[in-house]
Amino acid sequence: MKIKGKTKLIGIFGDPVAQTLSPAMQNAAFESLGMDFVYVPFHVRPAELKAAVEAIRALGMPGVNITIPHKEKVIELLDGLDEDARAVGAVNTVVNREGKLTGYNTDGEGFLRSLAEDTGFNPQGKKIIILGAGGAARGILASVLNKKNKKNKKNKKPARVIVANRTFERAEGLVKEFNEKFKDLQVEAVELDEEALGPLLKEADLLVNATSIGMEGGQGGQGGHGPLSFIIEKLPGSAVVSDIVYKPIVTELIREAEQKGLTTHRGLGMLVGQGALSFELWTGQKAPVHVMRQAAFEALELQ
Ligand code: NAP
């Protein structure tokens, strides 16, 4: 990669930010298309967020990614929000158009796009169970409910959507909020346990783990999936199983689903999907998804 006089700078603002896979993924994309862009991680502490956002304008950056803990706080510093970011209440991508900063959230749409690419799954008319009620679950839920097909404006709504969470009140709160926003499909909240979920799993078309259970070193125990151990055996053979946890690359949930012969979608897919959409927002060019996936995979293996 050669930095020249016209090289455009894109970055990611986070605290911490050192573990991010996005620079590997985005720089591989720029390089493969011969584009004169460079993507750099910036460790931005909360007290410096305002100055960092002003720098996007001052330095003429085409945009940035925003990650933890700034995804909500950044909103008040921007000039506008797109529909998904508004529904989720969080921004992961900022685009600078002649000094006007617009916030987007590509997590949910990236999830759906990679799910479609990897498994052919189309949510329309399907029964979907989402485990979790945190930031990632919000993004996925917003996209699942929001979407009219952007090209032909046809409604792509599922038949039924259920949110299950350990802290039931959090699932209830999320469902209430989204049912007020998206009135034509009422999402249901249930407890994340075998008694409540068992009968629902038998009819599921898609099961998404959007909790951090199964994450390496995270809650749920060193890559294990204790609270989810009843899930896979209850799903029908036709179900698609998606786990948004990408470290380890193959989670216990995915391993069990594959053993049962179910179609699976791994967390790396969503990571690449959201990055590909950000790339397209900044550059207006189609993202080289396979290059990005390979780069993210290699960077993850090195961690
Ligand atoms: P978050 O906002 O902190 O939410 C965490 C969720 O996990 C909550 O629903 C929480 O339930 C649940 N949870 C955590 N430990 C649990 C346990 N032991 N038993 C039952 N439920 C448990 O986190 P997030 O930002 O949504 O991220 C969730 C996961 O998705 C993380 O592993 C993250 O790395 C991954 N992620 C992946 C991508 C991708 O691109 N693939 C994107 C975003 C996030 P409570 O409400 O009861 O606490």
Side-chain angles (χ1 to χ4, degrees):
M1 182 180 294
K2 288 205 174 73
I3 307 292
K4 297 177 227 134
K6 288 187 177 170
T7 302
K8 293 194 174 82
L9 174 65
I10 296 190
I12 178 164
F13 296 171
D15 178 23
V17 76
Q19 78 300 338
T20 178
L21 300 171
S22 294
M25 193 163 72
Q26 298 292 355
N27 285 320
F30 295 138
E31 211 167 334
S32 80
L33 297 181
M35 295 172 74
D36 195 9
F37 285 72
V38 62
Y39 185 107
V40 178
F42 293 102
H43 186 180
V44 175
R45 294 187 174 81
E48 304 300 335
L49 182 63
K50 189 164 187 278
V53 170
E54 277 162 10
I56 301 172
R57 292 193 192 91
L59 302 177
M61 298 170 74
V64 292
N65 278 134
I66 303 286
T67 188
I68 286 167
H70 306 311
K71 287 181 166 191
E72 290 92 20
K73 283 275 157 50
V74 76
I75 290 176
E76 65 192 42
L77 304 171
L78 303 176
D79 302 307
L81 282 186
D82 110 306
E83 206 184 337
D84 274 357
R86 193 179 306 280
V88 179
V91 160
N92 77 336
T93 305
V94 174
V95 179
N96 179 8
R97 296 188 183 91
E98 292 167 7
K100 188 172 175 288
L101 304 183
T102 306
Y104 295 81
N105 192 312
T106 65
D107 279 340
E109 192 60 24
F111 168 82
L112 282 182
R113 179 165 135 174
S114 75
L115 179 68
E117 281 168 4
D118 290 1
T119 72
F121 187 86
N122 174 354
Q124 190 170 3
K126 300 289 184 0
K127 292 180 186 145
I128 298 175
I129 299 180
I130 299 172
L131 310 180
R138 284 181 75 85
I140 291 170
L141 190 59
S143 281
V144 162
L145 297 176
N146 211 1
K147 283 308 158 217
K148 295 195 187 272
N149 185 311
K150 276 190 179 140
K151 281 188 191 127
N152 60 21
K153 303 284 178 213
K154 276 194 185 149
N155 200 314
K156 294 179 82 176
K157 287 215 185 319
R160 189 174 184 190
V161 178
I162 291 156
V163 174
N165 197 46
R166 172 180 63 179
T167 309
F168 178 64
E169 297 72 33
R170 205 172 173 199
E172 264 189 328
L174 177 61
V175 160
K176 186 166 179 285
E177 179 191 330
F178 276 58
N179 284 347
E180 279 163 14
K181 275 186 193 147
F182 305 101
K183 294 204 163 54
D184 45 352
L185 181 79
Q186 294 296 292
V187 181
E188 301 153 63
V190 301
E191 309 264 359
L192 205 180
D193 64 32
E194 192 166 353
E195 199 186 333
L197 264 183
L200 300 167
L201 287 165
K202 288 196 186 83
E203 299 190 346
D205 296 303
L206 172 69
L207 181 282
V208 185
N209 175 36
T211 75
S212 41
I213 300 171
M215 195 168 78
E216 213 167 84
Q219 292 174 313
Q222 304 299 314
H225 76 323
L228 306 185
S229 53
F230 65 93
I231 301 276
I232 297 299
E233 61 167 356
K234 296 219 158 23
L235 288 169
S238 56
V240 174
V241 174
S242 176
D243 195 339
I244 73 161
V245 173
Y246 56 81
K247 197 174 179 186
I249 290 168
V250 182
T251 61
E252 190 65 15
L253 190 76
I254 291 291
R255 195 186 56 75
E256 261 187 24
E258 283 173 357
Q259 266 174 2
K260 187 173 162 170
L262 302 184
T263 303
T264 58
H265 174 237
R266 299 177 184 182
L268 201 63
M270 174 174 173
L271 185 82
V272 174
Q274 59 81 28
L277 288 171
S278 299
F279 177 97
E280 291 172 5
L281 284 167
W282 297 317
T283 67
Q285 295 216 31
K286 192 155 174 39
V289 175
H290 295 293
V291 171
M292 295 174 83
R293 180 185 290 257
Q294 185 59 28
F297 180 80
E298 285 168 12
L300 195 53
E301 281 208 314
L302 286 177
Q303 281 189 349

PDB file of all heavy atoms in Angstrom, residues 132-136 165-167 170 210-213 215 219-220 227 244-246 267 270-271, ligand 1:
ATOM      1  N   GLY A 132     -31.367 -12.932  22.641  1.00  0.00           N
ATOM      2  CA  GLY A 132     -30.610 -11.736  23.026  1.00  0.00           C
ATOM      3  C   GLY A 132     -31.443 -10.488  22.830  1.00  0.00           C
ATOM      4  O   GLY A 132     -32.370 -10.454  21.998  1.00  0.00           O
ATOM      5  N   ALA A 133     -31.124  -9.472  23.636  1.00  0.00           N
ATOM      6  CA  ALA A 133     -31.840  -8.186  23.529  1.00  0.00           C
ATOM      7  C   ALA A 133     -30.858  -7.039  23.687  1.00  0.00           C
ATOM      8  O   ALA A 133     -31.223  -5.947  24.107  1.00  0.00           O
ATOM      9  CB  ALA A 133     -32.938  -8.118  24.586  1.00  0.00           C
ATOM     10  N   GLY A 134     -29.585  -7.279  23.364  1.00  0.00           N
ATOM     11  CA  GLY A 134     -28.562  -6.242  23.444  1.00  0.00           C
ATOM     12  C   GLY A 134     -28.446  -5.483  22.131  1.00  0.00           C
ATOM     13  O   GLY A 134     -29.362  -5.512  21.293  1.00  0.00           O
ATOM     14  N   GLY A 135     -27.311  -4.807  21.957  1.00  0.00           N
ATOM     15  CA  GLY A 135     -27.110  -3.954  20.790  1.00  0.00           C
ATOM     16  C   GLY A 135     -27.221  -4.712  19.477  1.00  0.00           C
ATOM     17  O   GLY A 135     -27.874  -4.240  18.529  1.00  0.00           O
ATOM     18  N   ALA A 136     -26.618  -5.893  19.398  1.00  0.00           N
ATOM     19  CA  ALA A 136     -26.633  -6.645  18.141  1.00  0.00           C
ATOM     20  C   ALA A 136     -28.049  -7.128  17.819  1.00  0.00           C
ATOM     21  O   ALA A 136     -28.497  -7.055  16.668  1.00  0.00           O
ATOM     22  CB  ALA A 136     -25.674  -7.818  18.238  1.00  0.00           C
ATOM     23  N   ASN A 165     -34.686 -13.605  25.932  1.00  0.00           N
ATOM     24  CA  ASN A 165     -33.510 -13.054  26.612  1.00  0.00           C
ATOM     25  C   ASN A 165     -33.462 -13.505  28.059  1.00  0.00           C
ATOM     26  O   ASN A 165     -34.501 -13.704  28.692  1.00  0.00           O
ATOM     27  CB  ASN A 165     -33.541 -11.520  26.546  1.00  0.00           C
ATOM     28  CG  ASN A 165     -32.188 -10.917  26.859  1.00  0.00           C
ATOM     29  OD1 ASN A 165     -31.172 -11.379  26.335  1.00  0.00           O
ATOM     30  ND2 ASN A 165     -32.153  -9.916  27.718  1.00  0.00           N
ATOM     31  N   ARG A 166     -32.223 -13.674  28.560  1.00  0.00           N
ATOM     32  CA  ARG A 166     -32.027 -14.058  29.964  1.00  0.00           C
ATOM     33  C   ARG A 166     -32.752 -13.078  30.887  1.00  0.00           C
ATOM     34  O   ARG A 166     -33.528 -13.469  31.741  1.00  0.00           O
ATOM     35  CB  ARG A 166     -30.525 -14.081  30.270  1.00  0.00           C
ATOM     36  CG  ARG A 166     -30.214 -14.285  31.732  1.00  0.00           C
ATOM     37  CD  ARG A 166     -28.730 -14.306  31.967  1.00  0.00           C
ATOM     38  NE  ARG A 166     -28.088 -13.034  31.611  1.00  0.00           N
ATOM     39  CZ  ARG A 166     -26.795 -12.804  31.753  1.00  0.00           C
ATOM     40  NH1 ARG A 166     -26.009 -13.748  32.212  1.00  0.00           N
ATOM     41  NH2 ARG A 166     -26.283 -11.630  31.414  1.00  0.00           N
ATOM     42  N   THR A 167     -32.496 -11.777  30.685  1.00  0.00           N
ATOM     43  CA  THR A 167     -33.214 -10.762  31.466  1.00  0.00           C
ATOM     44  C   THR A 167     -34.493 -10.447  30.703  1.00  0.00           C
ATOM     45  O   THR A 167     -34.485  -9.691  29.724  1.00  0.00           O
ATOM     46  CB  THR A 167     -32.338  -9.490  31.618  1.00  0.00           C
ATOM     47  OG1 THR A 167     -31.056  -9.898  32.085  1.00  0.00           O
ATOM     48  CG2 THR A 167     -32.962  -8.501  32.581  1.00  0.00           C
ATOM     49  N   ARG A 170     -35.722  -6.978  29.719  1.00  0.00           N
ATOM     50  CA  ARG A 170     -35.016  -6.306  28.618  1.00  0.00           C
ATOM     51  C   ARG A 170     -35.641  -6.703  27.269  1.00  0.00           C
ATOM     52  O   ARG A 170     -35.805  -5.862  26.380  1.00  0.00           O
ATOM     53  CB  ARG A 170     -33.542  -6.706  28.670  1.00  0.00           C
ATOM     54  CG  ARG A 170     -32.635  -5.710  28.034  1.00  0.00           C
ATOM     55  CD  ARG A 170     -31.193  -6.075  28.291  1.00  0.00           C
ATOM     56  NE  ARG A 170     -30.294  -5.216  27.546  1.00  0.00           N
ATOM     57  CZ  ARG A 170     -29.037  -5.514  27.299  1.00  0.00           C
ATOM     58  NH1 ARG A 170     -28.509  -6.626  27.758  1.00  0.00           N
ATOM     59  NH2 ARG A 170     -28.285  -4.688  26.601  1.00  0.00           N
ATOM     60  N   ALA A 210     -27.958 -13.974  19.148  1.00  0.00           N
ATOM     61  CA  ALA A 210     -27.408 -12.611  19.204  1.00  0.00           C
ATOM     62  C   ALA A 210     -27.045 -12.266  20.644  1.00  0.00           C
ATOM     63  O   ALA A 210     -27.016 -11.099  21.021  1.00  0.00           O
ATOM     64  CB  ALA A 210     -28.408 -11.605  18.637  1.00  0.00           C
ATOM     65  N   THR A 211     -26.773 -13.307  21.458  1.00  0.00           N
ATOM     66  CA  THR A 211     -26.196 -13.076  22.784  1.00  0.00           C
ATOM     67  C   THR A 211     -24.683 -13.256  22.664  1.00  0.00           C
ATOM     68  O   THR A 211     -24.184 -13.665  21.608  1.00  0.00           O
ATOM     69  CB  THR A 211     -26.711 -14.092  23.832  1.00  0.00           C
ATOM     70  OG1 THR A 211     -26.076 -15.359  23.598  1.00  0.00           O
ATOM     71  CG2 THR A 211     -28.211 -14.256  23.785  1.00  0.00           C
ATOM     72  N   SER A 212     -23.981 -12.980  23.760  1.00  0.00           N
ATOM     73  CA  SER A 212     -22.538 -13.238  23.714  1.00  0.00           C
ATOM     74  C   SER A 212     -22.193 -14.623  24.241  1.00  0.00           C
ATOM     75  O   SER A 212     -21.020 -14.927  24.429  1.00  0.00           O
ATOM     76  CB  SER A 212     -21.789 -12.138  24.466  1.00  0.00           C
ATOM     77  OG  SER A 212     -22.458 -11.798  25.652  1.00  0.00           O
ATOM     78  N   ILE A 213     -23.203 -15.468  24.426  1.00  0.00           N
ATOM     79  CA  ILE A 213     -22.934 -16.849  24.871  1.00  0.00           C
ATOM     80  C   ILE A 213     -22.135 -17.561  23.781  1.00  0.00           C
ATOM     81  O   ILE A 213     -22.495 -17.512  22.611  1.00  0.00           O
ATOM     82  CB  ILE A 213     -24.248 -17.628  25.120  1.00  0.00           C
ATOM     83  CG1 ILE A 213     -25.070 -16.940  26.193  1.00  0.00           C
ATOM     84  CG2 ILE A 213     -23.936 -19.074  25.517  1.00  0.00           C
ATOM     85  CD1 ILE A 213     -26.478 -17.519  26.342  1.00  0.00           C
ATOM     86  N   MET A 215     -18.947 -16.928  23.214  1.00  0.00           N
ATOM     87  CA  MET A 215     -17.795 -16.096  22.850  1.00  0.00           C
ATOM     88  C   MET A 215     -16.570 -16.543  23.640  1.00  0.00           C
ATOM     89  O   MET A 215     -16.685 -16.831  24.830  1.00  0.00           O
ATOM     90  CB  MET A 215     -18.114 -14.643  23.198  1.00  0.00           C
ATOM     91  CG  MET A 215     -17.210 -13.644  22.573  1.00  0.00           C
ATOM     92  SD  MET A 215     -17.919 -11.999  22.800  1.00  0.00           S
ATOM     93  CE  MET A 215     -17.507 -11.673  24.493  1.00  0.00           C
ATOM     94  N   GLN A 219     -18.964 -14.492  28.747  1.00  0.00           N
ATOM     95  CA  GLN A 219     -19.966 -15.134  29.580  1.00  0.00           C
ATOM     96  C   GLN A 219     -20.466 -16.358  28.824  1.00  0.00           C
ATOM     97  O   GLN A 219     -20.455 -16.402  27.619  1.00  0.00           O
ATOM     98  CB  GLN A 219     -21.141 -14.181  29.813  1.00  0.00           C
ATOM     99  CG  GLN A 219     -20.769 -13.010  30.671  1.00  0.00           C
ATOM    100  CD  GLN A 219     -21.927 -12.024  30.737  1.00  0.00           C
ATOM    101  OE1 GLN A 219     -22.512 -11.694  29.719  1.00  0.00           O
ATOM    102  NE2 GLN A 219     -22.228 -11.576  31.924  1.00  0.00           N
ATOM    103  N   GLY A 220     -20.938 -17.330  29.571  1.00  0.00           N
ATOM    104  CA  GLY A 220     -21.344 -18.567  28.911  1.00  0.00           C
ATOM    105  C   GLY A 220     -20.179 -19.535  28.928  1.00  0.00           C
ATOM    106  O   GLY A 220     -20.327 -20.709  28.614  1.00  0.00           O
ATOM    107  N   PRO A 227     -26.153 -22.135  28.520  1.00  0.00           N
ATOM    108  CA  PRO A 227     -27.574 -21.783  28.506  1.00  0.00           C
ATOM    109  C   PRO A 227     -28.281 -22.101  27.183  1.00  0.00           C
ATOM    110  O   PRO A 227     -29.508 -22.038  27.111  1.00  0.00           O
ATOM    111  CB  PRO A 227     -27.571 -20.261  28.745  1.00  0.00           C
ATOM    112  CG  PRO A 227     -26.214 -19.935  29.267  1.00  0.00           C
ATOM    113  CD  PRO A 227     -25.280 -20.974  28.738  1.00  0.00           C
ATOM    114  N   ILE A 244     -24.059 -15.050  15.736  1.00  0.00           N
ATOM    115  CA  ILE A 244     -23.317 -13.840  15.366  1.00  0.00           C
ATOM    116  C   ILE A 244     -21.974 -13.756  16.084  1.00  0.00           C
ATOM    117  O   ILE A 244     -21.156 -12.919  15.752  1.00  0.00           O
ATOM    118  CB  ILE A 244     -24.141 -12.560  15.584  1.00  0.00           C
ATOM    119  CG1 ILE A 244     -24.287 -12.225  17.059  1.00  0.00           C
ATOM    120  CG2 ILE A 244     -25.502 -12.660  14.920  1.00  0.00           C
ATOM    121  CD1 ILE A 244     -24.682 -10.772  17.272  1.00  0.00           C
ATOM    122  N   VAL A 245     -21.747 -14.642  17.059  1.00  0.00           N
ATOM    123  CA  VAL A 245     -20.428 -14.696  17.710  1.00  0.00           C
ATOM    124  C   VAL A 245     -19.411 -15.199  16.674  1.00  0.00           C
ATOM    125  O   VAL A 245     -19.667 -16.197  15.994  1.00  0.00           O
ATOM    126  CB  VAL A 245     -20.465 -15.637  18.932  1.00  0.00           C
ATOM    127  CG1 VAL A 245     -19.067 -15.838  19.509  1.00  0.00           C
ATOM    128  CG2 VAL A 245     -21.406 -15.063  19.995  1.00  0.00           C
ATOM    129  N   TYR A 246     -18.298 -14.474  16.503  1.00  0.00           N
ATOM    130  CA  TYR A 246     -17.328 -14.875  15.478  1.00  0.00           C
ATOM    131  C   TYR A 246     -15.974 -15.299  16.058  1.00  0.00           C
ATOM    132  O   TYR A 246     -15.052 -15.630  15.325  1.00  0.00           O
ATOM    133  CB  TYR A 246     -17.134 -13.770  14.432  1.00  0.00           C
ATOM    134  CG  TYR A 246     -16.728 -12.439  15.004  1.00  0.00           C
ATOM    135  CD1 TYR A 246     -15.414 -12.174  15.343  1.00  0.00           C
ATOM    136  CD2 TYR A 246     -17.669 -11.438  15.192  1.00  0.00           C
ATOM    137  CE1 TYR A 246     -15.046 -10.946  15.877  1.00  0.00           C
ATOM    138  CE2 TYR A 246     -17.330 -10.212  15.722  1.00  0.00           C
ATOM    139  CZ  TYR A 246     -16.008  -9.976  16.064  1.00  0.00           C
ATOM    140  OH  TYR A 246     -15.663  -8.764  16.592  1.00  0.00           O
ATOM    141  N   GLY A 267     -20.792 -16.099  12.478  1.00  0.00           N
ATOM    142  CA  GLY A 267     -20.664 -14.691  12.849  1.00  0.00           C
ATOM    143  C   GLY A 267     -19.774 -13.877  11.935  1.00  0.00           C
ATOM    144  O   GLY A 267     -19.985 -12.670  11.741  1.00  0.00           O
ATOM    145  N   MET A 270     -21.713 -11.939   9.271  1.00  0.00           N
ATOM    146  CA  MET A 270     -22.307 -10.648   9.640  1.00  0.00           C
ATOM    147  C   MET A 270     -21.238  -9.569   9.702  1.00  0.00           C
ATOM    148  O   MET A 270     -21.449  -8.439   9.242  1.00  0.00           O
ATOM    149  CB  MET A 270     -23.007 -10.769  10.994  1.00  0.00           C
ATOM    150  CG  MET A 270     -23.534  -9.450  11.521  1.00  0.00           C
ATOM    151  SD  MET A 270     -24.483  -9.707  13.024  1.00  0.00           S
ATOM    152  CE  MET A 270     -24.795  -8.024  13.528  1.00  0.00           C
ATOM    153  N   LEU A 271     -20.092  -9.939  10.259  1.00  0.00           N
ATOM    154  CA  LEU A 271     -18.996  -8.965  10.368  1.00  0.00           C
ATOM    155  C   LEU A 271     -18.612  -8.436   8.978  1.00  0.00           C
ATOM    156  O   LEU A 271     -18.463  -7.232   8.765  1.00  0.00           O
ATOM    157  CB  LEU A 271     -17.790  -9.643  11.028  1.00  0.00           C
ATOM    158  CG  LEU A 271     -16.628  -8.725  11.307  1.00  0.00           C
ATOM    159  CD1 LEU A 271     -16.888  -7.981  12.607  1.00  0.00           C
ATOM    160  CD2 LEU A 271     -15.337  -9.501  11.410  1.00  0.00           C
TER     161      LEU A 271
HETATM  162  P1  NAP B   1     -24.657  -6.668  24.559  1.00  0.00           P
HETATM  163  O1  NAP B   1     -25.387  -5.457  24.117  1.00  0.00           O
HETATM  164  O2  NAP B   1     -23.783  -6.614  25.753  1.00  0.00           O
HETATM  165  O3  NAP B   1     -25.763  -7.835  24.791  1.00  0.00           O
HETATM  166  C1  NAP B   1     -25.372  -9.107  25.280  1.00  0.00           C
HETATM  167  C2  NAP B   1     -26.541 -10.070  25.196  1.00  0.00           C
HETATM  168  O4  NAP B   1     -26.083 -11.379  25.570  1.00  0.00           O
HETATM  169  C3  NAP B   1     -27.700  -9.742  26.143  1.00  0.00           C
HETATM  170  O5  NAP B   1     -28.909 -10.128  25.552  1.00  0.00           O
HETATM  171  C4  NAP B   1     -27.374 -10.617  27.359  1.00  0.00           C
HETATM  172  O6  NAP B   1     -28.492 -10.930  28.132  1.00  0.00           O
HETATM  173  C5  NAP B   1     -26.863 -11.860  26.674  1.00  0.00           C
HETATM  174  N1  NAP B   1     -26.011 -12.697  27.526  1.00  0.00           N
HETATM  175  C6  NAP B   1     -24.718 -12.485  27.853  1.00  0.00           C
HETATM  176  N2  NAP B   1     -24.257 -13.481  28.627  1.00  0.00           N
HETATM  177  C7  NAP B   1     -25.294 -14.345  28.822  1.00  0.00           C
HETATM  178  C8  NAP B   1     -25.442 -15.573  29.524  1.00  0.00           C
HETATM  179  N3  NAP B   1     -24.426 -16.102  30.214  1.00  0.00           N
HETATM  180  N4  NAP B   1     -26.637 -16.193  29.484  1.00  0.00           N
HETATM  181  C9  NAP B   1     -27.675 -15.661  28.784  1.00  0.00           C
HETATM  182  N5  NAP B   1     -27.592 -14.499  28.091  1.00  0.00           N
HETATM  183  C10 NAP B   1     -26.413 -13.852  28.117  1.00  0.00           C
HETATM  184  O7  NAP B   1     -23.734  -7.236  23.397  1.00  0.00           O
HETATM  185  P2  NAP B   1     -23.939  -7.097  21.789  1.00  0.00           P
HETATM  186  O8  NAP B   1     -23.232  -5.892  21.312  1.00  0.00           O
HETATM  187  O9  NAP B   1     -25.380  -7.269  21.496  1.00  0.00           O
HETATM  188  O10 NAP B   1     -23.098  -8.345  21.266  1.00  0.00           O
HETATM  189  C11 NAP B   1     -23.501  -9.683  21.496  1.00  0.00           C
HETATM  190  C12 NAP B   1     -22.510 -10.634  20.829  1.00  0.00           C
HETATM  191  O11 NAP B   1     -22.567 -10.466  19.429  1.00  0.00           O
HETATM  192  C13 NAP B   1     -21.053 -10.419  21.216  1.00  0.00           C
HETATM  193  O12 NAP B   1     -20.430 -11.672  21.350  1.00  0.00           O
HETATM  194  C14 NAP B   1     -20.455  -9.686  20.031  1.00  0.00           C
HETATM  195  O13 NAP B   1     -19.079  -9.973  19.846  1.00  0.00           O
HETATM  196  C15 NAP B   1     -21.266 -10.295  18.898  1.00  0.00           C
HETATM  197  N6  NAP B   1     -21.397  -9.372  17.750  1.00  0.00           N
HETATM  198  C16 NAP B   1     -21.067  -9.865  16.528  1.00  0.00           C
HETATM  199  C17 NAP B   1     -21.201  -9.037  15.419  1.00  0.00           C
HETATM  200  C18 NAP B   1     -20.831  -9.559  14.078  1.00  0.00           C
HETATM  201  O14 NAP B   1     -20.630  -8.739  13.170  1.00  0.00           O
HETATM  202  N7  NAP B   1     -20.743 -10.850  13.881  1.00  0.00           N
HETATM  203  C19 NAP B   1     -21.699  -7.739  15.558  1.00  0.00           C
HETATM  204  C20 NAP B   1     -22.059  -7.289  16.832  1.00  0.00           C
HETATM  205  C21 NAP B   1     -21.899  -8.122  17.927  1.00  0.00           C
HETATM  206  P3  NAP B   1     -28.948  -9.993  29.368  1.00  0.00           P
HETATM  207  O15 NAP B   1     -29.767  -8.876  28.767  1.00  0.00           O
HETATM  208  O16 NAP B   1     -29.731 -10.902  30.234  1.00  0.00           O
HETATM  209  O17 NAP B   1     -27.680  -9.503  30.008  1.00  0.00           O
END
